Amino acid sequence: MLRRAGLPRSGVEAWKYTSLRALGDVPFAAAPGTPDDAAVHAIVTGAEQAFALDGAMPRAVFVNGRFDPSRSSLPDGVSVGRFQALDEESDDEPAADVASALNAILAEDGLLLRVAPGVDAGRLLLLSVGAGADGTPISFHPRHRIELGQGAALSVLDLSVGQGAYLNNPVFDIAVGDGARLGHAKMQAEAAGAQHLAVVHAEIGAGGLYDSFTLTLGAALARHEVHVRLAAPGAVVHVNGAQLLDGRQHADLTSVITHAAPDCNSRQTVKNVLSGHARGVFQGKILVERVAQKTDGYQMNQALLLSETAEIDAKPELEIYADDVRCSHGATVGALDPDQLFYLRSRGIVEHEARAILVKAFLHDAVDLIGDEILRATLDRAVESWWNRKDA
């Protein structure tokens, strides 16, 4: 698909608000096989300190898209494989989306993680480190698969950090079995010169839950795309997130949630805080197939613009073929309420602290949706850190 059509043009509806023209002009090189160990150590240590990561949490570390066993400590109770096994088992055709097609061509490594039926595997830190070399832009394309058996449970903190100029293009294939629960908290804190294109393909079984949250902080250009299929009765998905952007950052959160069975539930709340000349994009679609009676779907995007030059493009969408459903969607855009700001200032609170209080209150409802309390606390600290750096 990618070889035939190339990168999407502005006329492609799914990419209407996000241009990859700049990406196509960069001569990305393959990631070096032996990155600078001192540089990688500094990046990992900086991330651990900045986000107060639990050093005891099992972790899988990827450096420039390749698994690093020396920095990894994989959890008990799960079966772990590598990309080669994943590739051999996959009979699927490459997905039609751009990032997945690019990944299918260039992927070299990834994680195959299986949780056996009935096993609670606890938490796992999936840490992706981008380490550019000698100012040469590099690209890497990790490909991961997570499979939860019937009644299994797992919480994943998916953190991307780095330094230099690079393209990180991860793809996740996720299968949540009947009655299983997967928490997936993603924190994208890439380097300022990085590009980040990510895709999640997830299928949820009967009574299963995929509880996801994406916090976008870094990268010059970022797009996180989620395709979820609720494949059996009682399946539930949460596709929540927040974008905190400044300068000339551009970030796009695109989702397609397909209700393919009756009595399924989907929830999506995405909040944007945009400053400077930043641009945020939200495209969310709920597709209800004819068989999916008793569907309950909700979608909301809210944006807070902190400058007159910030921009948000929001396109929530419903496509419904069943006749017994409850679905709603909406979008709001606004600035800080001057009356609320005045009230706080009149109580002796200085302006930057008053603004911080209002921004954090705006984001609280979104971050509070994260089911795992440890992951929620980690992302909450990341939000606090972002505001402190921005307001410094």
Side-chain angles (χ1 to χ4, degrees):
M1 185 273 288
L2 190 63
R3 289 191 178 100
R4 182 179 67 253
L7 294 176
R9 299 177 299 276
S10 58
V12 178
E13 182 63 25
W15 292 85
K16 179 178 179 180
Y17 304 111
T18 299
S19 171
L20 295 184
R21 179 178 300 176
L23 194 66
D25 293 338
V26 178
F28 289 107
T34 55
D36 185 334
D37 189 71
V40 173
H41 178 75
I43 297 169
V44 172
T45 302
E48 290 174 337
Q49 294 174 349
F51 305 118
L53 299 179
D54 181 358
M57 185 186 298
R59 62 181 60 189
V61 180
F62 283 76
V63 178
N64 290 345
R66 297 185 179 93
F67 182 66
D68 186 341
S70 68
R71 293 183 169 87
S72 300
S73 174
L74 296 171
D76 297 327
V78 301
S79 171
V80 178
R82 296 286 297 282
F83 171 76
Q84 290 78 8
L86 186 158
D87 191 48
E88 290 170 2
E89 295 183 7
S90 177
D91 296 324
D92 298 336
E93 292 295 323
D97 61 89
V98 172
S100 292
L102 184 64
N103 182 280
I105 295 170
L106 298 173
E108 294 183 358
D109 206 352
L111 191 67
L112 170 58
L113 191 152
R114 290 193 176 101
V115 184
V119 172
D120 186 343
R123 300 180 181 90
L124 170 69
L125 170 63
L126 179 57
L127 179 60
S128 173
V129 180
D134 302 325
T136 301
I138 61 173
S139 69
F140 42 93
H141 310 264
R143 180 172 152 213
H144 307 295
R145 179 180 293 172
I146 300 175
E147 300 175 2
L148 271 64
Q150 182 176 359
L154 175 68
S155 294
V156 176
L157 175 58
D158 175 10
L159 172 60
S160 297
V161 294
Q163 69 177 20
Y166 58 88
L167 166 64
N168 185 8
N169 171 218
V171 170
F172 287 81
D173 293 310
I174 293 173
V176 178
D178 295 351
R181 302 174 65 87
L182 175 61
H184 184 188
K186 173 180 175 177
M187 185 158 52
Q188 189 271 94
E190 303 276 23
Q195 323 281 333
H196 185 94
L197 300 179
V199 182
V200 173
H201 300 276
E203 182 162 310
I204 319 302
L209 168 65
Y210 176 51
D211 183 13
S212 73
F213 189 95
T214 300
L215 177 61
T216 300
L217 302 172
L221 171 67
R223 174 162 164 135
H224 181 74
E225 195 167 334
V226 184
H227 299 263
V228 180
R229 182 175 179 83
L230 301 172
V236 178
V237 64
H238 303 155
V239 186
N240 302 313
Q243 296 178 340
L244 310 183
L245 309 177
D246 198 4
R248 294 189 175 275
Q249 286 181 281
H250 180 110
D252 180 333
L253 197 160
T254 292
S255 65
V256 179
I257 301 172
T258 301
H259 288 255
D263 297 300
C264 293
N265 182 297
S266 65
R267 292 288 182 270
Q268 183 169 32
T269 298
V270 176
K271 297 205 173 188
N272 315 82
V273 178
L274 309 174
S275 186
H277 289 79
R279 183 179 183 184
V281 177
F282 170 75
Q283 298 184 106
K285 179 176 181 178
I286 297 176
L287 170 61
V288 182
E289 296 182 354
R290 191 177 302 276
V291 70
Q293 305 294 340
K294 304 295 184 183
T295 283
D296 186 353
Y298 171 81
Q299 185 181 80
M300 174 59 72
N301 175 231
Q302 296 176 311
L304 183 62
L305 306 184
L306 301 182
S307 73
E308 295 182 356
T309 51
E311 180 180 348
I312 179 71
D313 296 293
K315 191 181 77 170
E317 182 180 359
L318 300 176
E319 186 174 337
I320 301 172
Y321 297 97
D323 55 16
D324 185 7
V325 303
R326 183 173 63 181
C327 292
S328 62
H329 65 176
T332 65
V333 181
L336 289 177
D337 188 327
D339 291 338
Q340 293 179 352
L341 194 59
F342 175 79
Y343 176 83
L344 293 174
R345 294 290 307 280
S346 68
R347 265 49 182 182
I349 300 174
V350 298
E351 183 174 359
H352 75 274
E353 292 181 0
R355 290 166 61 87
I357 290 171
L358 295 179
V359 169
K360 292 170 187 175
F362 173 77
L363 290 169
H364 175 77
D365 291 345
V367 177
D368 203 46
L369 293 172
I370 302 170
D372 187 292
E373 61 181 11
I374 301 298
L375 304 189
R376 182 169 63 248
T378 302
L379 269 67
D380 203 33
R381 286 192 294 269
V383 170
E384 178 82 21
S385 176
W386 177 86
W387 178 260
N388 290 339
R389 291 196 309 273
K390 182 198 173 302
D391 205 43

